[in-house]
C-alpha cells in the first residue's frame, strides 16, 4: 500500500503521512469472523500494571484469522482485501469452494480474484499466498506466517513487510533467517506461506500529532531525566546537568538497566534452535 499526505488544513495534518486505503474494501468486516477482544490496558491477571503507558484508545472489533491454514486441498478465491485495526498488516477474505470463509494475512502482491490453496503435496509453481510445509519449499524463497511447532499456527513474520528467508533443509530441520538477522532451526513439517506480508510502507508513516498515539491506546511517556531524584534514579540536577539526571546509565524507575542488559532467559528451551543471534554472534553448541 502506498503512503499519502493531506493538504494541511489543520496543524495535525501538517506532518501526517498515513497508509493509503486504496484497493481495500469499504464494506464492514465479515460478521461471522469477528468477536470481542479483551483489552488488558497493561494489566496482568491480578489487575496490576505490568506494561506501562498503555490504556485508552479506540474500540476495536477483533477479526479471527486463520494462522494454521489447515483447510487443505480445497481451492479458495480472494474475495476482498480489508483493513485490520488490530495489526499493521492487511487482511484477505478467502471464500473456499465449499462455502466457508476465512481471513488470512494479505501478502504483498495479492489481488482480489487470486486463487489460493493450502497443500501438503510438492508443487511446481509457488505463487504468492500458497501455503505448504517447509520441506516442500525451495531454498532462498521468502516466506511469512511461519510456524515454530507443527500444527500450532503461525508465529513468525506476521507484521507488515515482514519476511523470512528459507536457507536450507536438512533431514527434519529447516534453517530460516529472520528479519532481525537471527538464523534459527524449525521443524521441516512446520507450515509457511509464500511471499512477504503486504503494506510495506507501514514503517514510513508519520502520525502527525500526539493525539493519534492516544487513539492507538498508547499513553504519554515521561523521560526519567526530567523527573526529580525522588521519582526516578536518573532524575535531578539543574537543567540538563551531568551531575544529576543524565550522567547515570539508563535504568527503569526501579533501577533495572535499560540498555545492554540481556533479558532473554538463558534456560529457554528454544535457545537450542538458534544458530546465530540477531547481533551476529554465533551460538556455541555444548
Amino acid at each position: 500500500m502506498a503512503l499519502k499526505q493531506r493538504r494541511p488544513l489543520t496543524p495535525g495534518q501538517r506532518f501526517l503521512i498515513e497508509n493509503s486505503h486504496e484497493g481495500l474494501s469499504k464494506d464492514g468486516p465479515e460478521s461471522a469472523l469477528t468477536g470481542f477482544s479483551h483489552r488488558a490496558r497493561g494489566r496482568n491477571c491480578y489487575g496490576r500494571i505490568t506494561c506501562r503507558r498503555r490504556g485508552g484508545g479506540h474500540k476495536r472489533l477483533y477479526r479471527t484469522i486463520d494462522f494454521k491454514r489447515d483447510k487443505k486441498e480445497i481451492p479458495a478465491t480472494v474475495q476482498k482485501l480489508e483493513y485490520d485495526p488490530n495489526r499493521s498488516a492487511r487482511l484477505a477474505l478467502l471464500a473456499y469452494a465449499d462455502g466457508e470463509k476465512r481471513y488470512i494475512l494479505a501478502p504483498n502482491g495479492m489481488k482480489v480474484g487470486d486463487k489460493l490453496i493450502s497443500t501438503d503435496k510438492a508443487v511446481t509453481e509457488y505463487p504468492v499466498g500458497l501455503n505448504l510445509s517447509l520441506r516442500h519449499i525451495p531454498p532462498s524463497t521468502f516466506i511469512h506466517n511461519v510456524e515454530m511447532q507443527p500444527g500450532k499456527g503461525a508465529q513468525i513474520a506476521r507484521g507488515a513487510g515482514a519476511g523470512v528467508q528459507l536457507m536450507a533443509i536438512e533431514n527434519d530441520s529447516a534453517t530460516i533467517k529472520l528479519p532481525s538477522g537471527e538464523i534459527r532451526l524449525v521443524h521441516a513439517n512446520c507450515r509457511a506461506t509464500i511471499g512477504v506480508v503486504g503494506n510495506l510502507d507501514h514503517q514510513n508513516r508519520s502520525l502527525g500529532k500526539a493525539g493519534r498515539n492516544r487513539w492507538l491506546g498508547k499513553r504519554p511517556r515521561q523521560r526519567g531525566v526530567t523527573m526529580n531524584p525522588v521519582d526516578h534514579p536518573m532524575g535531578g540536577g539543574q537543567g540538563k546537568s551531568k551531575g544529576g539526571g543524565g550522567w547515570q546509565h539508563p535504568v527503569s524507575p526501579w533501577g533495572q538497566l535499560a540498555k545492554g542488559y540481556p533479558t532473554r532467559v538463558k534456560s529457554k528451551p528454544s535457545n537450542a534452535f538458534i544458530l546465530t543471534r540477531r547481533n551476529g554472534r554465533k551460538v556455541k553448541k555444548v
Side-chain angles (χ1 to χ4, degrees):
M1 299 293 177
L3 298 174
K4 69 175 183 178
Q5 288 182 272
R6 298 180 182 270
R7 191 159 63 97
L9 300 178
T10 62
Q13 294 179 350
R14 187 170 302 279
F15 302 104
L16 174 63
I17 302 176
E18 57 185 347
N19 295 115
S20 173
H21 288 187
E22 183 180 358
L24 299 182
S25 173
K26 296 182 179 180
D27 301 333
E30 195 74 16
S31 59
L33 299 176
T34 58
F36 173 76
S37 176
H38 174 67
R39 306 178 69 187
R41 296 180 176 86
R43 272 76 172 172
N44 62 4
C45 59
Y46 301 106
R48 304 188 183 108
I49 294 179
T50 56
C51 184
R52 294 175 291 155
R53 299 180 289 273
R54 293 292 180 268
H58 201 286
K59 287 184 179 180
R60 301 174 183 176
L61 198 63
Y62 184 76
R63 281 77 165 165
T64 303
I65 300 176
D66 181 16
F67 287 116
K68 293 186 177 182
R69 296 291 296 274
D70 52 0
K71 201 172 179 65
K72 303 171 186 175
E73 312 303 334
I74 301 178
T77 305
V78 179
Q79 201 169 56
K80 57 182 178 179
L81 303 177
E82 296 184 14
Y83 165 79
D84 188 359
N86 302 288
R87 65 193 72 250
S88 57
R90 303 301 190 214
L91 299 184
L93 181 62
L94 300 186
Y96 285 89
D98 59 358
E100 186 178 357
K101 294 182 179 181
R102 291 189 181 184
Y103 278 124
I104 65 167
L105 299 185
N108 188 41
M110 176 174 286
K111 302 181 296 296
V112 176
D114 288 354
K115 304 292 184 181
L116 301 180
I117 196 170
S118 179
T119 180
D120 282 332
K121 303 176 182 178
V123 296
T124 56
E125 296 183 355
Y126 301 89
V128 171
L130 175 68
N131 184 274
L132 65 170
S133 301
L134 291 174
R135 63 171 69 252
H136 297 312
I137 301 177
S140 74
T141 303
F142 279 93
I143 53 180
H144 68 280
N145 256 10
V146 185
E147 292 182 329
M148 296 185 70
Q149 298 177 18
K152 187 176 181 180
Q155 294 177 269
I156 304 177
R158 303 191 335 188
V164 171
Q165 188 174 20
L166 180 62
M167 307 290 288
I169 302 260
E170 184 176 356
N171 298 328
D172 286 336
S173 297
T175 306
I176 59 176
K177 185 176 182 180
L178 307 186
S180 62
E182 178 182 299
I183 300 177
R184 64 172 296 130
L185 298 175
V186 295
H187 200 280
N189 288 337
C190 290
R191 306 187 67 82
T193 305
I194 303 297
V196 299
V197 185
N199 197 20
L200 304 181
D201 288 324
H202 177 78
Q203 62 178 351
N204 299 323
R205 64 175 185 159
S206 173
L207 297 181
K209 62 179 182 180
R212 194 171 296 271
N213 246 340
R214 299 300 295 261
W215 300 346
L216 299 176
K218 300 176 183 178
R219 299 184 67 245
R221 174 173 182 168
Q222 181 71 11
R223 294 177 299 141
V225 292
T226 63
M227 300 181 187
N228 295 321
V230 69
D231 299 317
H232 200 279
M234 295 162 56
Q238 300 298 321
K240 296 184 178 179
S241 65
K242 293 185 179 179
W247 189 245
Q248 301 90 344
H249 287 290
V251 294
S252 71
W254 303 276
Q256 185 179 16
L257 292 175
K259 294 183 178 180
Y261 180 75
T263 57
R264 185 178 175 91
V265 179
K266 293 184 178 181
S267 60
K268 198 168 186 177
S270 61
N271 285 343
F273 301 105
I274 298 178
L275 304 180
T276 304
R277 298 285 186 183
R278 59 182 180 179
N279 58 9
R281 294 182 180 177
K282 293 187 177 181
V283 179
K284 296 181 180 180
K285 301 298 180 182
V286 180

